[in-house]
Amino acid sequence: MTFNEIIMSLEVGLIYGIVALGLYLTFRIIDFPDLTCDGSFVLGSATASVLIQAGVNPWLSLLAALCAGALAGMLTAILYLRLHVTNLLAGILVSFMLYSINLRIMGGLPNISLMDGGTLLYDAPVLQLLMIACLMCALLSYMLLTDFGLSLRCIGFNTKLASNSGVNVAWMTMVGLALSNALVALGGGLFSQHQGFADVGSGVGTIIIGLASVMLGEKILPFRGVVSGVLSCLLGSVVYRLFIGFALHSDALGLSTSDLNLVTGLMVIAIMVVSKREVC
Amino acid sequence: MLTLENIDVTLGKNTKRARKVLQGLNLTVASGEFLVLLGGNGAGKSTLFNMIAGGIAPDAGKLCIDGQDVTAMSQAQRAQAVSKVMQDPMQGTIAQMSILENMTFAYRRGQKRGLSLYDNQARRELFQDKLRLLGIGLEKRMHDQVSGLSGGQRQALSMIMAMLQPAKILLLDEITAALDPASTAAVMDLANHIVREQRLTCLMITHDMAHAIQYGDRLVWIKDGQCVKSIDAATKANMTPAELMQVFAGF
């Protein structure tokens, strides 16, 4: 692995670290297995790319991606809370429908090139990405350390006590899903700016990659507590990218890029098996 | 003061298993009164508590707290006035959080939960003062996870948590059902102490006849979703658990 490849892994790791923060919020904090993210990642990517192509400031395009993601999360929440669709199906449905919406946003094209410039991550993207990722970590940690954040954590751990204590569980679930998908879409927006293109198929497997990062992070920083939990997502994502980078570039293993899903899946299974052993 | 007028509650509404649990229930609890509720399984005691707390809406009837009609108020809004201690200590506390986090969470019951940091010196001191009442050293273990506490300790903690924010009505739902005899005595003494000292309006469900005689100002027997018999403090004080059982066997 060359120096450039390591830097590249770091950059992609930071971008998916933000996605992992979003998944941490749903899977770990409010205990809602949200599968919207495959769709909301591309939603963010498509929204940001189209706006950049139209000459909009790249920071503003990220803000728009963030808002679009939040809307997708709210849609899943409405399906679950108002129409009583089960949580897994609600996410899958929204993600499924987002495919068409994303194509609409992209003007019917399966991919958009941003090679003409106008993106944020033009030169020295590592510093900018580090800045954005750290800012998101700080905001999320702060939020979780407030009275509001405490009630968000409580609805995941003990829904009954939460509603007995005057927390509006439905509203908080909605907020959790909106924030989570906003982060995932921000990740998507950054990803297309980093790669110089948006692809309607780029969201496949976002959940697995994000979860792999969250789980790996929990192994690296096994401390209880909000701040270490948030940081571990970012760390897990970077380590995951480095690991994948080494695995795919090692001549001895003879793997190619197309083996990525297999390697990731096996890694997730391995982490789960190891976690179970420790409990015993 | 709590007033219930002609309350009807159906569980599993619009399903084949729909069952009328409360039927025309009337009950008045005076301010500062400690009422003990007894009744067989399925009599509707827990449903009554759930309805008072706002978890279930009645089909008919009126529920007033201090003269204000709260029948249509949501559970979240009602949490300010009503506090509940649950039967299972695992449900009344959050195992995965520290004692400090649990207390902070309970401290905001029915209040706005804003975006200021939850941990501060003033709160810590308040919580430590409250925990000292228990006399089991929890005040020195504020950062310990609640999952490490025994059932009795957790139930004592959930009692303290329920009283951190003043409530107009306190509901105690078989709070000693999951505890050993020593913890049972400690938790009951604590509950009685808090209720009497703060002159709380309190409703307690129990299956323990001795507790029903020892604690509370009045005893109410619930059957088939109605209050069928009421015994005042002076009468019940002279009864034995066996005599009490006999009185209720007649209904």
Side-chain angles (χ1 to χ4, degrees):
Chain A
M1 223 175 151
T2 65
F3 179 71
N4 269 342
E5 282 163 357
I6 292 178
I7 292 294
M8 185 64 138
S9 300
L10 190 62
E11 290 164 9
V12 179
L14 287 171
I15 292 171
Y16 274 92
I18 296 174
V19 174
L21 289 178
L23 289 182
Y24 176 74
L25 203 51
T26 44
F27 279 78
R28 291 290 187 264
I29 300 290
I30 65 169
D31 195 21
F32 187 106
D34 176 35
L35 304 185
T36 320
C37 17
D38 278 21
S40 49
F41 183 83
V42 185
L43 180 64
S45 170
T47 309
S49 307
V50 166
L51 288 176
I52 287 172
Q53 260 195 339
V56 174
N57 178 299
W59 287 104
L60 282 180
S61 80
L62 287 180
L63 193 66
L66 211 84
C67 296
L71 283 177
M74 282 160 81
L75 188 60
T76 303
I78 290 168
L79 286 187
Y80 171 69
L81 297 166
R82 292 271 163 240
L83 307 180
H84 305 289
V85 179
T86 53
N87 48 18
L88 285 170
L89 190 59
I92 294 171
L93 266 173
V94 172
S95 171
F96 179 73
M97 295 188 293
L98 277 176
Y99 184 84
S100 304
I101 293 174
N102 292 334
L103 273 172
R104 282 270 174 197
I105 293 173
M106 290 161 77
L109 301 167
N111 49 55
I112 295 178
S113 168
L114 297 175
M115 287 305 175
D116 308 337
T119 66
L120 263 188
L121 310 166
Y122 199 63
D123 42 23
V126 168
L127 282 179
Q128 281 163 321
L129 284 172
L130 199 63
M131 216 173 66
I132 298 171
C134 287
L135 179 69
M136 289 302 137
C137 273
L139 286 175
L140 188 59
S141 305
Y142 178 83
M143 192 269 285
L144 291 173
L145 287 172
T146 63
D147 282 321
F148 174 82
L150 194 61
S151 58
L152 202 59
R153 291 166 64 200
C154 185
I155 66 163
F157 288 137
N158 191 335
T159 316
K160 215 168 177 180
L161 181 66
S163 46
N164 267 340
S165 305
V167 175
N168 187 336
V169 175
W171 170 247
M172 292 305 277
T173 305
M174 170 101 97
V175 171
L177 283 169
L179 286 177
S180 162
N181 282 289
L183 284 169
V184 174
L186 175 66
L190 283 169
F191 185 72
S192 57
Q193 295 202 28
H194 182 255
Q195 302 288 314
F197 69 88
D199 189 302
V200 78
S202 62
V204 176
T206 307
I207 297 158
I208 300 297
I209 294 170
L211 270 186
S213 308
V214 172
M215 289 158 93
L216 201 61
E218 284 168 343
K219 289 284 137 216
I220 301 169
L221 285 181
F223 310 111
R224 210 177 58 81
V226 166
V227 179
S228 95
V230 168
L231 278 178
S232 74
C233 296
L234 213 55
L235 199 61
S237 175
V238 170
V239 170
Y240 164 80
R241 283 294 155 183
L242 289 172
F243 172 82
I244 292 291
F246 278 117
L248 297 185
H249 286 94
S250 128
D251 292 330
L253 288 171
L255 295 168
S256 76
T257 327
S258 55
D259 297 323
L260 178 69
N261 285 10
L262 183 64
V263 175
T264 305
L266 288 175
M267 197 167 94
V268 169
I269 294 168
I271 297 172
M272 288 172 107
V273 170
V274 170
S275 317
K276 285 231 176 70
R277 281 232 179 100
E278 278 175 10
V279 172
C280 289
Chain B
M1 192 169 87
L2 174 74
T3 325
L4 302 166
E5 282 172 35
N6 292 315
I7 298 281
D8 284 353
V9 171
T10 310
L11 289 185
K13 226 182 281 177
N14 301 327
T15 67
K16 277 181 187 165
R17 284 179 295 166
R19 196 169 73 88
K20 228 175 181 189
V21 181
L22 299 182
Q23 303 187 45
L25 183 133
N26 287 293
L27 182 66
T28 304
V29 187
S31 286
E33 187 179 8
F34 185 175
L35 183 80
V36 178
L37 295 168
L38 282 166
N41 288 326
K45 306 181 299 294
S46 290
T47 306
L48 173 64
F49 269 23
N50 241 334
M51 196 270 306
I52 296 173
I56 309 171
D59 308 331
K62 199 168 134 190
L63 171 73
C64 295
I65 295 174
D66 285 353
Q68 190 199 353
D69 187 348
V70 296
T71 320
M73 210 185 245
S74 76
Q75 183 169 25
Q77 292 171 306
R78 223 183 281 181
Q80 206 177 350
V82 182
S83 188
K84 188 174 168 189
V85 181
M86 284 178 270
Q87 179 176 348
D88 182 357
M90 308 299 150
Q91 280 188 357
T93 48
I94 307 155
Q96 301 89 335
M97 288 192 192
S98 68
I99 294 178
L100 177 66
E101 287 167 325
N102 267 276
M103 294 191 80
T104 315
F105 178 75
Y107 181 61
R108 303 304 293 170
R109 194 196 76 242
Q111 309 286 309
K112 203 176 169 307
R113 296 171 189 269
L115 285 173
S116 51
L117 292 174
Y118 65 69
D119 187 13
N120 62 48
Q121 196 57 37
R123 283 185 184 182
R124 278 191 197 199
E125 279 166 17
L126 171 75
F127 300 158
Q128 277 170 339
D129 285 345
K130 297 282 179 189
L131 287 174
R132 227 166 262 132
L133 288 176
L134 298 176
I136 48 177
L138 289 186
E139 68 275 9
K140 297 183 202 100
R141 300 171 59 185
M142 297 278 275
H143 293 285
D144 284 12
Q145 223 169 322
V146 167
S147 57
L149 304 182
S150 72
Q153 288 171 328
R154 278 179 79 162
Q155 197 62 318
L157 176 64
S158 72
M159 267 302 301
I160 296 286
M161 280 165 61
M163 294 326 301
L164 274 177
Q165 194 62 243
K168 287 177 179 161
I169 310 286
L170 175 65
L171 305 173
L172 306 176
D173 188 355
E174 282 188 66
I175 54 171
T176 59
L179 306 181
D180 63 42
S183 307
T184 297
V187 167
M188 274 313 302
D189 279 346
L190 174 72
N192 192 47
H193 176 77
I194 293 177
V195 170
R196 291 311 188 189
E197 193 188 54
Q198 303 189 22
R199 296 171 169 279
L200 294 169
T201 309
C202 173
L203 283 78
M204 177 173 86
I205 294 175
T206 184
H207 281 300
D208 187 318
M209 294 294 162
H211 284 166
I213 292 170
Q214 189 182 352
Y215 301 105
D217 303 317
R218 186 155 64 100
L219 215 162
V220 167
W221 177 256
I222 295 190
K223 196 182 176 199
D224 298 334
Q226 285 177 334
C227 300
V228 291
K229 172 87 181 163
S230 170
I231 299 175
D232 61 28
T235 317
K236 80 182 173 93
N238 299 319
M239 295 173 95
T240 64
E243 283 166 358
L244 195 58
M245 284 286 275
Q246 241 168 7
V247 172
F248 293 135
F251 287 94

